[in-house]
Amino acid sequence: MSVAPQEGAAGTRIALEALRAALLSGDLAPGQRLVEAELAASHGVSRASVRAALMDLAAEGLVERIPNRGARVRVVTVEEAVAITECRMVLEGLCAAKAAERVDDEQAAALTALGRQLQQSVADGEPVVYSARNRELHRLVREISGQEVATGLLDRLNAQIVRHQFRLALRTGRPQVSLPEHLAIIDAIVRRDPAAAERAARTHLASVIAALQESAEG
Protein backbone atom coordinates (compact mmCIF):
# COMPACT_ATOMS: atom_id res chain seq x y z
CA MET A 1 0.00 0.00 0.00
CA SER A 2 1.51 3.32 -1.08
CA VAL A 3 1.90 6.16 1.40
CA ALA A 4 0.11 9.38 0.50
CA PRO A 5 2.50 12.29 -0.09
CA GLN A 6 2.82 14.97 2.54
CA GLU A 7 0.82 18.09 1.70
CA GLY A 8 0.21 21.58 3.04
CA ALA A 9 2.62 23.32 5.40
CA ALA A 10 4.26 20.05 6.49
CA GLY A 11 4.96 19.01 2.91
CA THR A 12 6.32 22.43 2.03
CA ARG A 13 8.63 22.36 5.06
CA ILE A 14 9.98 18.92 4.10
CA ALA A 15 10.62 19.99 0.51
CA LEU A 16 12.15 23.30 1.56
CA GLU A 17 14.57 21.74 4.04
CA ALA A 18 15.62 19.00 1.59
CA LEU A 19 16.17 21.40 -1.31
CA ARG A 20 18.02 23.94 0.81
CA ALA A 21 20.31 21.21 2.16
CA ALA A 22 21.02 20.00 -1.39
CA LEU A 23 21.85 23.55 -2.50
CA LEU A 24 24.12 24.18 0.50
CA SER A 25 26.00 20.91 -0.02
CA GLY A 26 26.49 21.60 -3.72
CA ASP A 27 24.47 18.54 -4.77
CA LEU A 28 22.39 20.75 -7.06
CA ALA A 29 24.47 22.50 -9.70
CA PRO A 30 23.99 26.07 -10.98
CA GLY A 31 21.58 26.05 -13.91
CA GLN A 32 20.20 22.59 -13.06
CA ARG A 33 16.50 22.22 -13.83
CA LEU A 34 14.24 21.51 -10.88
CA VAL A 35 11.37 19.32 -12.04
CA GLU A 36 8.43 19.44 -9.65
CA ALA A 37 7.18 15.90 -10.35
CA GLU A 38 10.65 14.39 -9.80
CA LEU A 39 11.27 16.36 -6.62
CA ALA A 40 7.83 15.49 -5.24
CA ALA A 41 8.46 11.78 -5.82
CA SER A 42 11.97 11.96 -4.32
CA HIS A 43 10.87 13.64 -1.10
CA GLY A 44 7.43 12.11 -0.62
CA VAL A 45 5.51 15.36 -0.88
CA SER A 46 2.90 16.79 -3.21
CA ARG A 47 3.77 18.84 -6.28
CA ALA A 48 2.02 21.79 -4.66
CA SER A 49 4.40 21.51 -1.70
CA VAL A 50 7.40 21.47 -4.03
CA ARG A 51 6.02 24.47 -5.92
CA ALA A 52 5.60 26.43 -2.67
CA ALA A 53 9.13 25.49 -1.57
CA LEU A 54 10.57 26.63 -4.90
CA MET A 55 8.79 29.96 -4.54
CA ASP A 56 10.38 30.44 -1.11
CA LEU A 57 13.81 29.55 -2.49
CA ALA A 58 13.30 31.96 -5.38
CA ALA A 59 12.58 34.71 -2.85
CA GLU A 60 15.89 33.83 -1.17
CA GLY A 61 17.76 34.15 -4.46
CA LEU A 62 18.67 30.46 -4.64
CA VAL A 63 16.29 29.43 -7.41
CA GLU A 64 14.93 31.22 -10.44
CA ARG A 65 11.54 30.52 -11.96
CA ILE A 66 11.32 30.73 -15.75
CA PRO A 67 7.89 31.45 -17.27
CA ASN A 68 6.43 28.30 -18.86
CA ARG A 69 9.66 26.38 -18.23
CA GLY A 70 9.64 25.66 -14.50
CA ALA A 71 12.54 26.41 -12.19
CA ARG A 72 16.29 25.98 -12.06
CA VAL A 73 19.15 26.60 -9.64
CA ARG A 74 20.16 30.23 -10.02
CA VAL A 75 23.54 30.91 -11.59
CA VAL A 76 25.50 33.44 -9.53
CA THR A 77 28.17 35.36 -11.45
CA VAL A 78 31.56 36.22 -9.98
CA GLU A 79 30.47 39.87 -9.85
CA GLU A 80 27.43 38.91 -7.77
CA ALA A 81 29.60 36.68 -5.57
CA VAL A 82 31.87 39.64 -4.87
CA ALA A 83 28.90 41.87 -3.98
CA ILE A 84 27.51 39.16 -1.69
CA THR A 85 30.91 38.74 -0.02
CA GLU A 86 31.10 42.51 0.57
CA CYS A 87 27.85 42.17 2.53
CA ARG A 88 29.24 39.13 4.34
CA MET A 89 32.27 41.18 5.35
CA VAL A 90 30.12 43.53 7.42
CA LEU A 91 28.00 40.77 8.96
CA GLU A 92 30.90 38.38 9.68
CA GLY A 93 32.77 41.26 11.29
CA LEU A 94 29.78 41.99 13.52
CA CYS A 95 29.47 38.33 14.53
CA ALA A 96 33.19 38.05 15.30
CA ALA A 97 33.03 41.15 17.50
CA LYS A 98 29.95 39.85 19.33
CA ALA A 99 31.59 36.44 19.75
CA ALA A 100 34.62 38.10 21.39
CA GLU A 101 32.26 39.81 23.83
CA ARG A 102 30.30 36.66 24.69
CA VAL A 103 32.74 33.74 24.41
CA ASP A 104 33.08 31.54 27.48
CA ASP A 105 36.00 29.28 28.42
CA GLU A 106 34.46 26.15 26.90
CA GLN A 107 33.73 27.91 23.60
CA ALA A 108 37.23 29.42 23.55
CA ALA A 109 38.68 25.93 23.97
CA ALA A 110 36.53 24.65 21.09
CA LEU A 111 37.74 27.47 18.84
CA THR A 112 41.37 26.81 19.78
CA ALA A 113 40.96 23.10 19.04
CA LEU A 114 39.37 23.91 15.69
CA GLY A 115 42.31 26.16 14.88
CA ARG A 116 44.69 23.24 15.48
CA GLN A 117 42.53 21.06 13.22
CA LEU A 118 42.68 23.68 10.48
CA GLN A 119 46.47 23.75 10.76
CA GLN A 120 46.63 19.95 10.62
CA SER A 121 44.45 19.70 7.51
CA VAL A 122 46.71 22.20 5.71
CA ALA A 123 49.82 20.33 6.86
CA ASP A 124 48.29 17.07 5.60
CA GLY A 125 47.37 18.62 2.24
CA GLU A 126 43.64 17.93 2.64
CA PRO A 127 41.78 20.91 1.11
CA VAL A 128 38.36 19.22 1.31
CA VAL A 129 38.80 18.59 5.04
CA TYR A 130 40.11 22.13 5.47
CA SER A 131 37.05 23.51 3.66
CA ALA A 132 34.69 21.59 5.97
CA ARG A 133 36.52 22.85 9.07
CA ASN A 134 36.52 26.36 7.63
CA ARG A 135 32.70 26.25 7.36
CA GLU A 136 32.51 24.86 10.91
CA LEU A 137 34.61 27.77 12.20
CA HIS A 138 32.34 30.37 10.62
CA ARG A 139 29.28 28.52 11.94
CA LEU A 140 30.73 28.34 15.46
CA VAL A 141 31.60 32.04 15.49
CA ARG A 142 28.05 32.91 14.46
CA GLU A 143 26.66 30.60 17.14
CA ILE A 144 28.83 32.12 19.87
CA SER A 145 27.91 35.63 18.74
CA GLY A 146 24.24 35.10 19.56
CA GLN A 147 23.43 37.54 16.72
CA GLU A 148 20.48 35.67 15.24
CA VAL A 149 19.52 38.32 12.68
CA ALA A 150 23.04 38.44 11.22
CA THR A 151 23.21 34.65 11.29
CA GLY A 152 19.98 34.33 9.32
CA LEU A 153 21.18 36.83 6.73
CA LEU A 154 24.54 35.08 6.43
CA ASP A 155 22.89 31.69 5.93
CA ARG A 156 20.96 33.11 2.97
CA LEU A 157 23.99 34.87 1.50
CA ASN A 158 26.28 31.86 1.87
CA ALA A 159 23.76 29.57 0.20
CA GLN A 160 23.89 31.72 -2.92
CA ILE A 161 27.67 31.45 -3.35
CA VAL A 162 28.35 27.93 -2.15
CA ARG A 163 29.78 26.87 -5.53
CA HIS A 164 32.21 29.78 -5.57
CA GLN A 165 33.27 28.89 -2.02
CA PHE A 166 33.94 25.27 -3.04
CA ARG A 167 36.05 26.36 -5.99
CA LEU A 168 38.09 28.75 -3.87
CA ALA A 169 38.68 26.14 -1.18
CA LEU A 170 40.09 23.71 -3.75
CA ARG A 171 42.33 26.25 -5.48
CA THR A 172 46.00 25.41 -5.10
CA GLY A 173 47.59 27.46 -2.35
CA ARG A 174 44.34 29.00 -1.10
CA PRO A 175 44.27 27.16 2.27
CA GLN A 176 47.80 28.40 3.00
CA VAL A 177 46.58 31.97 2.43
CA SER A 178 43.39 31.72 4.47
CA LEU A 179 44.79 29.69 7.39
CA PRO A 180 46.59 32.60 9.14
CA GLU A 181 43.48 34.75 8.54
CA HIS A 182 41.28 32.19 10.30
CA LEU A 183 43.79 31.79 13.12
CA ALA A 184 43.77 35.58 13.62
CA ILE A 185 39.99 35.52 14.01
CA ILE A 186 40.24 32.70 16.56
CA ASP A 187 43.04 34.44 18.48
CA ALA A 188 41.13 37.73 18.75
CA ILE A 189 37.93 36.04 19.94
CA VAL A 190 39.77 33.88 22.48
CA ARG A 191 41.54 37.03 23.76
CA ARG A 192 38.08 38.63 24.01
CA ASP A 193 39.10 41.59 21.85
CA PRO A 194 36.01 42.63 19.83
CA ALA A 195 37.77 45.28 17.73
CA ALA A 196 40.56 42.90 16.73
CA ALA A 197 38.05 40.13 16.01
CA GLU A 198 36.01 42.36 13.71
CA ARG A 199 39.16 43.58 11.98
CA ALA A 200 40.41 40.01 11.47
CA ALA A 201 37.08 38.87 10.03
CA ARG A 202 36.96 41.82 7.63
CA THR A 203 40.57 41.17 6.56
CA HIS A 204 39.69 37.55 5.80
CA LEU A 205 36.65 38.47 3.72
CA ALA A 206 38.66 41.10 1.84
CA SER A 207 41.07 38.30 0.95
CA VAL A 208 38.15 36.18 -0.28
CA ILE A 209 36.99 39.06 -2.49
CA ALA A 210 40.47 39.42 -3.97
CA ALA A 211 40.57 35.69 -4.72
CA LEU A 212 37.15 35.84 -6.39
CA GLN A 213 38.27 38.75 -8.54
CA GLU A 214 41.40 36.82 -9.52
CA SER A 215 39.25 33.91 -10.62
CA ALA A 216 37.25 36.24 -12.87
CA GLU A 217 40.43 37.51 -14.48
CA GLY A 218 41.99 34.07 -14.84
Side-chain angles (χ1 to χ4, degrees), residues 19-154:
L19 288 168
R20 188 180 284 118
L23 288 162
L24 284 170
S25 66
D27 290 341
L28 294 173
Q32 182 174 334
R33 284 193 64 215
L34 300 168
V35 181
E36 289 179 5
E38 293 177 0
L39 294 171
S42 296
H43 302 300
V45 299
S46 67
R47 288 187 63 171
S49 293
V50 169
R51 193 173 305 120
L54 291 174
M55 289 176 66
D56 285 349
L57 292 170
E60 294 178 20
L62 303 179
V63 165
E64 57 184 346
R65 298 185 65 80
I66 306 167
N68 304 317
R69 296 186 61 187
R72 69 180 180 184
V73 179
R74 193 167 78 84
V75 177
V76 177
T77 66
V78 173
E79 290 75 18
E80 285 181 283
V82 167
I84 289 168
T85 307
E86 288 172 342
C87 295
R88 284 185 60 212
M89 182 190 294
V90 177
L91 294 167
E92 296 271 14
L94 170 63
C95 287
K98 289 291 186 181
E101 292 174 3
R102 293 167 51 94
V103 67
D104 61 29
D105 290 345
E106 184 177 343
Q107 292 166 332
L111 284 170
T112 301
L114 191 50
R116 287 195 293 267
Q117 292 171 356
L118 285 165
Q119 290 175 297
Q120 190 61 53
S121 55
V122 169
D124 292 342
E126 296 181 327
V128 175
V129 175
Y130 178 81
S131 178
R133 288 172 176 166
N134 172 7
R135 291 194 298 276
E136 174 61 15
L137 172 60
H138 285 276
R139 186 203 64 75
L140 185 55
V141 171
R142 293 197 296 272
E143 180 182 296
I144 295 170
S145 77
Q147 231 297 355
E148 294 183 3
V149 173
T151 294
L153 291 168
L154 282 165

Side-chain angles (χ1 to χ4, degrees), residues 112-215:
T112 301
L114 191 50
R116 287 195 293 267
Q117 292 171 356
L118 285 165
Q119 290 175 297
Q120 190 61 53
S121 55
V122 169
D124 292 342
E126 296 181 327
V128 175
V129 175
Y130 178 81
S131 178
R133 288 172 176 166
N134 172 7
R135 291 194 298 276
E136 174 61 15
L137 172 60
H138 285 276
R139 186 203 64 75
L140 185 55
V141 171
R142 293 197 296 272
E143 180 182 296
I144 295 170
S145 77
Q147 231 297 355
E148 294 183 3
V149 173
T151 294
L153 291 168
L154 282 165
D155 285 344
R156 290 179 62 168
L157 292 172
N158 286 326
Q160 294 182 48
I161 57 171
V162 65
R163 283 280 165 172
H164 291 283
Q165 291 172 329
F166 284 154
R167 290 195 190 101
L168 278 187
L170 297 176
R171 183 186 297 177
T172 301
R174 178 61 196 166
Q176 287 79 3
V177 172
S178 67
L179 176 62
E181 298 166 359
H182 286 127
L183 294 178
I185 295 170
I186 292 171
D187 177 67
I189 293 173
V190 169
R191 287 190 292 105
R192 296 168 172 81
D193 186 335
E198 180 169 5
R199 188 164 56 248
R202 282 175 169 265
T203 297
H204 169 55
L205 271 298
S207 171
V208 172
I209 289 170
L212 286 168
Q213 291 170 329
E214 278 179 27
S215 70

